[in-house]
Amino acid sequence: MTVSASDIKELRERTGAGMTDCKTALEESSGDMEKAIEWLRERGAAKAAKKSGRIAAEGLIGISINGATASIVEVNSETDFVAKNADFVTYVQDIANEALKTSAKDLEGFLKSNWQESSKTVEDTVNEKVATIGEKISIRRFEKLDASNGVISSYAHNGGKIGVVVSAENVKETVEVKEILRNVAMQVAAISPLFVSKEDVPNSYIEKEKEIILATMKEDESNKGKPEDILKKMVEGKLTKQLKEVCLLEQSYIKDPDKTVSKYLEEASKASGEKIGIKSFVRYEAGEGIEKKQEDFAEEVAKQMNNK
């Protein structure tokens, strides 16, 4: 099949693979971007797992917490110039506050909900911002967490470019407990786990990773001729190591790499007198997975001056 130059460019941006490899991957995958990334991973042409989620657009993450309930939102802008604007920062926080109150279950419903008890909708305010600022503004996603009889804490990094909320159930809210959860939120922001624990990893993820690891190993000349049962044992070993990287509780704790996050929580629980178990977390990174356009700071300034 014929693949477009824009798709090749997007795949290259997301994986760091060469143009020829990207073109072949898309052809082999009938133009399916995610399958093309998998194709590249299996052949070792790209470290897609690390590169596919890099920042590729501008914007901010907003977080709002009320007791044991929290919301987290991602609001995008075209330029970092706008994302750093005080009015935009305030607007993102307002959106997070509205997300905390909404009963909407998806983004479409949230956009149609009323804004601050007025006749306007959330979507109306987005359109107003677009008209005022002069560039595209969009609410990309939002999520709510509820920790029944528990505690929620958060952490924002790099001026709100990364935002994390972490919840723990059946725990009393104290300053010490909030600080412990904030430390865990910092861990999530820095290392970006996919799951809380190994028990949360779905079988579909494990089977897919086994396939990818096995295919990658078979491409390695040093593994040529090795019996299938030996390769499978090697796959299990690599999978075990990988799960330690993607499961929060199995990761090395960033403030003390000699212990795991699970061990840190065990020690912190004893010290605080509260048994702290992580229920869930959400990590948003502004522009994650979106292709970032090239910026010209002088052009940004000129645009802003002309809009005044």
Side-chain angles (χ1 to χ4, degrees), residues 284-303:
Y284 279 178
E285 187 165 346
E288 199 168 37
I290 303 174
E291 184 176 356
K292 185 177 182 180
K293 73 174 186 177
Q294 296 300 311
E295 297 176 1
D296 184 325
F297 182 71
E299 183 180 338
E300 287 180 30
V301 174
K303 180 189 289 187

mmCIF file of all heavy atoms in Angstrom, residues 284-303:
data_model
loop_
_atom_site.group_PDB
_atom_site.id
_atom_site.type_symbol
_atom_site.label_atom_id
_atom_site.label_comp_id
_atom_site.label_asym_id
_atom_site.label_seq_id
_atom_site.Cartn_x
_atom_site.Cartn_y
_atom_site.Cartn_z
ATOM 1 N N TYR A 284 -0.797 12.652 33.935
ATOM 2 C CA TYR A 284 -0.956 13.329 32.650
ATOM 3 C C TYR A 284 0.305 14.127 32.346
ATOM 4 O O TYR A 284 0.866 14.777 33.245
ATOM 5 C CB TYR A 284 -2.132 14.316 32.690
ATOM 6 C CG TYR A 284 -3.507 13.709 32.509
ATOM 7 C CD1 TYR A 284 -4.642 14.523 32.571
ATOM 8 C CD2 TYR A 284 -3.690 12.349 32.277
ATOM 9 C CE1 TYR A 284 -5.919 13.999 32.411
ATOM 10 C CE2 TYR A 284 -4.969 11.819 32.109
ATOM 11 C CZ TYR A 284 -6.076 12.647 32.183
ATOM 12 O OH TYR A 284 -7.335 12.132 32.023
ATOM 13 N N GLU A 285 0.718 14.074 31.111
ATOM 14 C CA GLU A 285 1.836 14.886 30.634
ATOM 15 C C GLU A 285 1.343 15.688 29.441
ATOM 16 O O GLU A 285 0.825 15.126 28.467
ATOM 17 C CB GLU A 285 3.012 13.997 30.244
ATOM 18 C CG GLU A 285 4.267 14.769 29.902
ATOM 19 C CD GLU A 285 5.504 13.888 29.867
ATOM 20 O OE1 GLU A 285 5.452 12.738 30.357
ATOM 21 O OE2 GLU A 285 6.531 14.357 29.351
ATOM 22 N N ALA A 286 1.474 16.998 29.522
ATOM 23 C CA ALA A 286 0.920 17.864 28.482
ATOM 24 C C ALA A 286 1.512 17.536 27.117
ATOM 25 O O ALA A 286 2.721 17.474 26.949
ATOM 26 C CB ALA A 286 1.184 19.330 28.822
ATOM 27 N N GLY A 287 0.628 17.322 26.155
ATOM 28 C CA GLY A 287 1.060 17.063 24.790
ATOM 29 C C GLY A 287 1.554 15.659 24.536
ATOM 30 O O GLY A 287 2.096 15.377 23.468
ATOM 31 N N GLU A 288 1.346 14.777 25.483
ATOM 32 C CA GLU A 288 1.827 13.408 25.350
ATOM 33 C C GLU A 288 1.285 12.760 24.084
ATOM 34 O O GLU A 288 0.086 12.637 23.887
ATOM 35 C CB GLU A 288 1.363 12.626 26.578
ATOM 36 C CG GLU A 288 2.103 11.353 26.853
ATOM 37 C CD GLU A 288 1.756 10.820 28.235
ATOM 38 O OE1 GLU A 288 0.579 10.940 28.642
ATOM 39 O OE2 GLU A 288 2.646 10.297 28.901
ATOM 40 N N GLY A 289 2.198 12.330 23.199
ATOM 41 C CA GLY A 289 1.791 11.617 21.994
ATOM 42 C C GLY A 289 1.291 12.476 20.854
ATOM 43 O O GLY A 289 0.879 11.966 19.814
ATOM 44 N N ILE A 290 1.331 13.813 21.016
ATOM 45 C CA ILE A 290 0.891 14.704 19.945
ATOM 46 C C ILE A 290 2.111 15.309 19.273
ATOM 47 O O ILE A 290 3.040 15.755 19.944
ATOM 48 C CB ILE A 290 0.008 15.845 20.482
ATOM 49 C CG1 ILE A 290 -1.191 15.287 21.236
ATOM 50 C CG2 ILE A 290 -0.447 16.764 19.348
ATOM 51 C CD1 ILE A 290 -2.030 16.346 21.905
ATOM 52 N N GLU A 291 2.115 15.329 17.962
ATOM 53 C CA GLU A 291 3.258 15.894 17.251
ATOM 54 C C GLU A 291 3.378 17.384 17.546
ATOM 55 O O GLU A 291 2.418 18.138 17.447
ATOM 56 C CB GLU A 291 3.109 15.678 15.734
ATOM 57 C CG GLU A 291 4.313 16.159 14.952
ATOM 58 C CD GLU A 291 4.206 15.864 13.469
ATOM 59 O OE1 GLU A 291 3.225 15.224 13.063
ATOM 60 O OE2 GLU A 291 5.111 16.270 12.730
ATOM 61 N N LYS A 292 4.577 17.790 17.895
ATOM 62 C CA LYS A 292 4.826 19.188 18.251
ATOM 63 C C LYS A 292 5.298 19.973 17.042
ATOM 64 O O LYS A 292 6.216 19.570 16.347
ATOM 65 C CB LYS A 292 5.887 19.262 19.352
ATOM 66 C CG LYS A 292 6.150 20.649 19.884
ATOM 67 C CD LYS A 292 7.164 20.580 21.019
ATOM 68 C CE LYS A 292 7.423 21.945 21.604
ATOM 69 N NZ LYS A 292 8.408 21.895 22.709
ATOM 70 N N LYS A 293 4.649 21.093 16.795
ATOM 71 C CA LYS A 293 5.065 21.910 15.666
ATOM 72 C C LYS A 293 6.304 22.706 16.025
ATOM 73 O O LYS A 293 6.587 22.992 17.189
ATOM 74 C CB LYS A 293 3.939 22.862 15.239
ATOM 75 C CG LYS A 293 3.693 24.020 16.195
ATOM 76 C CD LYS A 293 2.667 24.968 15.615
ATOM 77 C CE LYS A 293 2.512 26.218 16.489
ATOM 78 N NZ LYS A 293 1.578 27.185 15.905
ATOM 79 N N GLN A 294 7.070 23.087 15.014
ATOM 80 C CA GLN A 294 8.247 23.907 15.226
ATOM 81 C C GLN A 294 7.826 25.313 15.623
ATOM 82 O O GLN A 294 6.904 25.888 15.056
ATOM 83 C CB GLN A 294 9.090 23.967 13.938
ATOM 84 C CG GLN A 294 9.660 22.617 13.521
ATOM 85 C CD GLN A 294 10.569 22.024 14.573
ATOM 86 O OE1 GLN A 294 11.461 22.699 15.076
ATOM 87 N NE2 GLN A 294 10.352 20.766 14.911
ATOM 88 N N GLU A 295 8.532 25.852 16.618
ATOM 89 C CA GLU A 295 8.146 27.155 17.136
ATOM 90 C C GLU A 295 9.151 28.241 16.768
ATOM 91 O O GLU A 295 10.330 27.983 16.623
ATOM 92 C CB GLU A 295 8.018 27.091 18.665
ATOM 93 C CG GLU A 295 6.929 26.159 19.130
ATOM 94 C CD GLU A 295 6.893 26.054 20.641
ATOM 95 O OE1 GLU A 295 7.707 26.735 21.293
ATOM 96 O OE2 GLU A 295 6.068 25.294 21.165
ATOM 97 N N ASP A 296 8.654 29.429 16.603
ATOM 98 C CA ASP A 296 9.471 30.609 16.349
ATOM 99 C C ASP A 296 9.072 31.630 17.406
ATOM 100 O O ASP A 296 7.983 32.200 17.343
ATOM 101 C CB ASP A 296 9.200 31.132 14.929
ATOM 102 C CG ASP A 296 10.106 32.311 14.562
ATOM 103 O OD1 ASP A 296 10.423 33.117 15.467
ATOM 104 O OD2 ASP A 296 10.495 32.415 13.388
ATOM 105 N N PHE A 297 9.958 31.847 18.401
ATOM 106 C CA PHE A 297 9.598 32.718 19.504
ATOM 107 C C PHE A 297 9.253 34.121 19.030
ATOM 108 O O PHE A 297 8.289 34.733 19.495
ATOM 109 C CB PHE A 297 10.745 32.782 20.518
ATOM 110 C CG PHE A 297 10.428 33.623 21.723
ATOM 111 C CD1 PHE A 297 9.512 33.190 22.660
ATOM 112 C CD2 PHE A 297 11.022 34.862 21.895
ATOM 113 C CE1 PHE A 297 9.204 33.960 23.774
ATOM 114 C CE2 PHE A 297 10.723 35.640 22.993
ATOM 115 C CZ PHE A 297 9.817 35.192 23.945
ATOM 116 N N ALA A 298 10.031 34.653 18.068
ATOM 117 C CA ALA A 298 9.766 36.005 17.560
ATOM 118 C C ALA A 298 8.386 36.083 16.919
ATOM 119 O O ALA A 298 7.659 37.070 17.085
ATOM 120 C CB ALA A 298 10.846 36.403 16.540
ATOM 121 N N GLU A 299 8.023 34.994 16.217
ATOM 122 C CA GLU A 299 6.701 34.954 15.574
ATOM 123 C C GLU A 299 5.604 34.911 16.629
ATOM 124 O O GLU A 299 4.554 35.541 16.475
ATOM 125 C CB GLU A 299 6.610 33.721 14.666
ATOM 126 C CG GLU A 299 5.305 33.632 13.887
ATOM 127 C CD GLU A 299 5.256 32.408 13.005
ATOM 128 O OE1 GLU A 299 6.329 31.870 12.667
ATOM 129 O OE2 GLU A 299 4.137 31.980 12.664
ATOM 130 N N GLU A 300 5.838 34.155 17.728
ATOM 131 C CA GLU A 300 4.860 34.086 18.805
ATOM 132 C C GLU A 300 4.615 35.468 19.405
ATOM 133 O O GLU A 300 3.476 35.878 19.632
ATOM 134 C CB GLU A 300 5.369 33.161 19.919
ATOM 135 C CG GLU A 300 5.344 31.689 19.566
ATOM 136 C CD GLU A 300 5.871 30.853 20.713
ATOM 137 O OE1 GLU A 300 5.697 31.283 21.879
ATOM 138 O OE2 GLU A 300 6.447 29.790 20.474
ATOM 139 N N VAL A 301 5.714 36.177 19.657
ATOM 140 C CA VAL A 301 5.606 37.513 20.243
ATOM 141 C C VAL A 301 4.844 38.437 19.310
ATOM 142 O O VAL A 301 3.954 39.177 19.723
ATOM 143 C CB VAL A 301 6.994 38.102 20.554
ATOM 144 C CG1 VAL A 301 6.866 39.558 21.014
ATOM 145 C CG2 VAL A 301 7.698 37.275 21.622
ATOM 146 N N ALA A 302 5.172 38.386 18.018
ATOM 147 C CA ALA A 302 4.504 39.239 17.043
ATOM 148 C C ALA A 302 3.009 38.935 16.992
ATOM 149 O O ALA A 302 2.177 39.858 16.921
ATOM 150 C CB ALA A 302 5.134 39.028 15.655
ATOM 151 N N LYS A 303 2.660 37.656 17.056
ATOM 152 C CA LYS A 303 1.251 37.269 17.035
ATOM 153 C C LYS A 303 0.515 37.837 18.246
ATOM 154 O O LYS A 303 -0.596 38.354 18.125
ATOM 155 C CB LYS A 303 1.127 35.735 17.020
ATOM 156 C CG LYS A 303 -0.323 35.257 16.999
ATOM 157 C CD LYS A 303 -0.432 33.771 17.196
ATOM 158 C CE LYS A 303 0.048 33.010 15.993
ATOM 159 N NZ LYS A 303 -0.229 31.548 16.125
#
